[in-house]
DNA sequence: GTCTATATACAGATAGAC
DNA sequence: GTCTATCTGTATATAGAC
């Protein structure tokens, strides 16, 4: 229907102003929430006029959707990096837990969680996309890893690895996640390490090899 | 400084219009969030004029604080009722888990969680009060119960009951809570029962008596 | 205390020149 | 695409009569 597109030339996604707008929006939406962020503030933070924002996005909801979608992709990429970093460690479970909790509890992660949770009734599709890109993707990856551990005999067999992954992540989050998502102080690396050690110990009692 | 107050006469908290305003605000703040709720909408829902709202509360933030504070008290009362209901059951752990998860996953609970999480950067004191009245109070109660179970020999000794309570609640929440707080469908009683059974089974492997 | 009517500010979105 | 200037609706909060 539309005329042939120029082959791989300047796409709108590569405009520097568009990039600035997306960056400013991500900063403000995560810090102030959806309603707390005005298009005026986004334009000012990006160093452009408000009309330019509307030239690149049809409206505030469109800009928000683009930013959350972009964050989902970034989260997935970070998850891959974490997986590579953690799976090669000697004490794999503990190291995985530390890496994941440090990622989950950093201010940027908590901010995107808060933003999506607050907006989930108005943007249900975004909330679903976020859940799939973040927690659910992480759980699938962890389940795959735990299944390997089962086959290697380092975890007891006969249990659903997806269930084990869910329980592992639940033990890790615990009250720590709840307190941080409610604005409490972020624990330092040592405190996170202690939380992870206790969670992994409990996990191994529940899911470790029967003889241990 | 001020003249003697009349002894226990009509306090402002007992005004029927004030009650209507608080009820309307609770409904709207939980359904639409803080920014999504206007003082006009509260007045209309309560059946009063906007000026009357401002006669009872100094502003929107004051009304919001009063409502969240009231919900904290209500949550504490519900927790007491849940405790009485659950502790007398035969299969105490499973029954406690079912009661708590049904409470946690009902739309009203999720709505107040979302509202407080979204507002926690602007109202940090409210978020702290909510955490103390809700999750932390529940954890303290559960820890006390688990300590009794330890003394009775139905749980292994030598572990911090507060840690065990944290792990129990983390196993129960799991992905279910995360999916629901992000707007996913609420599981029915049977699905909740299955989640709880699996969580309690894992908990007992980690914290049950060593011989089991 | 309670109302109607209004002051004031700022939001999202657009018109039109360049 | 980008800007300045503006339209239009609605938000919080208040003035003043009863």
């Amino acid at each position: 229907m539309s005329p042939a597109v120029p082959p791989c030339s300047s796409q709108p996604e590569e405009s520097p102003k568009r990039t600035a707008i997306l960056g400013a929006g991500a900063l403000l939406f995560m810090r102030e929430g959806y309603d707390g962020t005005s298009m005026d503030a986004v334009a000012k933070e990006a160093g452009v006029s408000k009309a330019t924002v509307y030239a690149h996005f049809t409206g505030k909801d469109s800009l928000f959707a683009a930013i959350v979608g972009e964050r989902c992709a970034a989260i997935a990429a970070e998850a891959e990096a974490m997986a590579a970093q953690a799976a090669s460690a000697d004490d794999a479970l503990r190291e995985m837990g530390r890496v994941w909790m440090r990622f989950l509890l950093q201010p940027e992660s908590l901010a995107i969680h808060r933003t999506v949770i607050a907006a989930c009734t108005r943007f249900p599709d975004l909330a679903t996309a976020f859940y799939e890109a973040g927690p659910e993707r992480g759980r699938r990856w962890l389940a795959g890893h735990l299944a390997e551990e089962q086959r290697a005999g380092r975890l007891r067999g006969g249990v659903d690895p997806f269930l084990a992954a869910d329980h592992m992540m639940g033990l890790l989050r615990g009250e720590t996640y709840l307190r941080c998502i409610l604005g409490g102080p972020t624990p330092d690396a040592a405190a996170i390490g202690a939380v992870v050690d206790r969670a992994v110990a409990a996990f191994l009692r529940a899911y470790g090899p029967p003889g241990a």
Side-chain angles (χ1 to χ4, degrees), chain A residues 58-59 71 82 135 164 183:
Chain A
T58 64
R71 289 304 302 171
M82 284 198 318

Side-chain angles (χ1 to χ4, degrees), chain A residues 40-51:
Chain A
D40 287 273
V42 172
K44 186 178 177 185
E45 176 74 28
V48 302
S49 79
K50 194 160 54 163

Side-chain angles (χ1 to χ4, degrees), chain A residues 30 71 101-117 130 176-187:
Chain A
M30 290 204 267
R71 289 304 302 171
M101 284 292 274
R102 278 199 295 262
F103 165 73
L104 182 69
L105 298 181
Q106 75 191 123
E108 293 75 19
S109 298
L110 294 170
I112 180 81
H113 275 229
R114 281 189 209 109
T115 305
V116 176
I117 287 172
F130 171 78
T176 309
Y177 170 74
L178 210 58
R179 209 160 20 198
C180 290
I181 199 76
L182 282 169
T186 304

